[in-house]
Amino acid sequence: MAQETDAPQAPPTAPTAPARALLPFILPGVVVGVAASLVFVGVSAAAERLQHVLWGPVPDALGLGRFSAAWVFVMLVATGVAVGLVVWKAPGHAGPDPATLGLNAPVLPPAVLPGLVVAAGLMLAGGPSLGPENPVIAVNVGLAAWLGGRLMPRAPGELWPVLAESATIGALFGTPVAAALVISEALAGRPMRGRLWDNLFAPLTAGACGAVTTTLVAHPSFDLRLPPMGHPRPGDVLAAVVIAPAAALLGMAAVYAFPYVHAVFRRLRHPMLMLPAGGVVLAALGVLGGPLTLFKGLSEVGELARRPDGWSAGQFAAMAVVKLAALLVAAASGFRGGRIFPAVFVGAALGLCAHALVPAVHPAVGVATAVLGMLLAVTRQGWVSLFTAAVLVASPGVLALLCIASLPAWLLVTGRPQMQLGQDGAPVR
């Protein structure tokens, strides 16, 4: 009688780490989380105060309209000159070319960080369409690696960048869930020792402390307070699977244009030419699109949401296209900033455009699914895209729609170039 073969066995699961192995990570996580949040809040608050002065009392004193065409050109070109001067003269040129960076920041030398902070603050106040996330993450990673290596030299060197990234993401979104999702996505592509939650323990500690600190100090809210959505209907499913891929397609158009726009500005070679030239183009776009298409877009998307029926479909579409073009130019011309917040504005404007075209499309469904598709194209961060789209509308019923809508949108973007370039100028895939 033939001997029966053994059935294939499932690979053994990794053992969980003992508590004594995880306890030493609590203090570094807490310290980095609080410090990263304070850096983010400090940079944001200083930029907002400067923005209030530059776009309020100064043009009033000069007898110019706050958002007149003349003042928009003055401010955007002056911002390009100011940031260009910092990039030219500051040690380390305020960090690497921002077109080559994503959310995973390199460890920069401490001497580079002050210039990066100044360049990012001037950008945020002056009106270019970029957010604070990339430079703030880079600053926090550099500070954590420098100070952590000196205060706790026995800790593994790779610990500090992970803690700083998690803490900053938690601070940016006001919740550690975003940090946990991003880190778990990053861990999926690396060799991992032990269980997932053992590896997430220290980053989640930092992210939670960063989020709590920001909540206590700045009271952030991403809820756009759109009309609440009830149980999904068949029409909502249809709208979701149409709007998300449509937004992703528009985002991919900008992604494919990115290396060409970047190459045009690189031909100017000097930051005192590239950045002012970018300021000129951004000013023209700001005049074309109006005041809401300036700045990082977070406050401005709230203005859109307060009046979802306040503009026509054509006006919403025009603001979306202009904002996306401004994001493209700002990121390609050397301004130090991130792409998430302006991409959220583009997606929200597209979603409200869909609602204006087809009133049966619920505003929450339109906004959430369009933001999802746009972020998938621009960031290629699946969890961040889902999470951001969900928190904007705060309707539990939209979660299932977002998961469904992410499938066709992801099929459109996966394997294609990202809005990030390598050191050789070629798109990253």
Side-chain angles (χ1 to χ4, degrees):
M1 185 175 179
Q3 186 176 2
E4 294 183 2
T5 59
D6 294 333
Q9 299 293 318
T13 58
T16 57
R20 65 178 179 275
L22 300 179
L23 287 174
F25 294 112
I26 293 179
L27 181 59
V30 172
V31 173
V32 172
V34 173
S37 173
L38 293 178
V39 169
F40 163 63
V41 172
V43 171
S44 299
E48 288 174 5
R49 291 190 179 185
L50 181 59
Q51 175 186 332
H52 174 75
V53 173
L54 294 177
W55 293 87
V58 173
D60 289 347
L62 296 174
L64 298 172
R66 296 187 176 188
F67 292 100
S68 64
W71 190 245
V72 170
F73 268 93
V74 167
M75 279 305 309
L76 268 299
V77 175
T79 301
V81 171
V83 176
L85 187 62
V86 174
V87 173
W88 179 26
K89 292 296 187 181
H93 305 292
D97 181 355
T100 64
L101 300 178
L103 288 179
N104 297 324
V107 178
L108 299 176
V112 178
L113 305 183
L116 180 56
V117 169
V118 173
L122 291 171
M123 182 280 300
L124 290 170
S129 293
L130 292 173
E133 60 274 17
N134 286 23
V136 173
I137 289 175
V139 169
N140 283 332
V141 166
L143 286 174
W146 178 54
L147 292 174
R150 281 155 177 76
L151 298 178
M152 297 183 65
R154 294 184 180 179
E158 63 272 14
L159 171 68
W160 304 110
V162 173
L163 291 183
E165 287 177 12
S166 301
T168 311
I169 292 171
L172 282 162
F173 291 97
T175 170
V177 176
L181 293 175
V182 172
I183 297 301
S184 63
E185 192 170 12
L187 288 173
R190 306 175 188 171
M192 185 172 57
R193 297 175 60 185
R195 297 289 185 93
L196 174 63
W197 275 95
D198 292 334
N199 286 270
L200 285 178
F201 183 84
L204 190 57
T205 302
C209 292
V212 170
T213 303
T214 301
T215 301
L216 293 174
V217 174
H219 313 290
S221 176
F222 286 87
D223 184 5
L224 297 180
R225 304 188 185 281
L226 289 164
M229 174 192 161
H231 294 289
R233 301 165 299 172
D236 296 328
V237 178
L238 177 61
V241 298
V242 170
I243 294 171
L249 283 174
L250 180 62
M252 287 305 301
V255 170
Y256 276 105
F258 187 54
Y260 299 101
V261 178
H262 181 265
V264 169
F265 283 104
R266 289 297 113 179
R267 288 175 186 167
L268 298 176
R269 296 184 179 276
H270 199 284
M272 289 300 291
L273 295 175
M274 291 186 296
L275 285 149
V280 171
V281 179
L282 291 172
L285 291 169
V287 172
L288 180 64
L292 289 181
T293 60
L294 297 170
F295 307 106
K296 64 183 179 183
L298 191 58
S299 300
E300 291 72 24
V301 79
E303 179 65 25
L304 289 183
R306 278 192 288 273
R307 295 191 292 155
D309 299 311
W311 291 271
S312 67
Q315 289 172 314
F316 280 124
M319 285 190 282
V321 172
V322 168
K323 186 70 173 180
L324 186 59
L327 164 60
L328 180 62
V329 171
S333 59
F335 286 100
R336 271 51 181 170
R339 307 172 186 109
I340 291 178
F341 291 130
V344 167
F345 179 97
V346 176
L350 285 175
L352 293 173
C353 173
H355 168 68
L357 280 173
V358 183
V361 174
H362 195 284
V365 174
V367 167
T369 54
V371 167
L372 170 68
M374 183 57 59
L375 285 177
L376 283 175
V378 171
T379 70
R380 216 56 53 87
Q381 297 274 347
W383 283 124
V384 167
S385 303
L386 275 167
F387 174 81
T388 305
V391 299
L392 287 174
V393 298
S395 293
V398 84
L399 285 172
L401 294 177
L402 288 174
C403 291
I404 294 171
S406 69
L407 303 178
W410 184 255
L411 289 176
L412 288 173
V413 304
T414 185
R416 302 185 187 278
Q418 302 181 34
M419 191 176 272
Q420 183 179 344
L421 305 179
Q423 296 299 327
D424 58 355
V428 174
R429 289 182 179 269

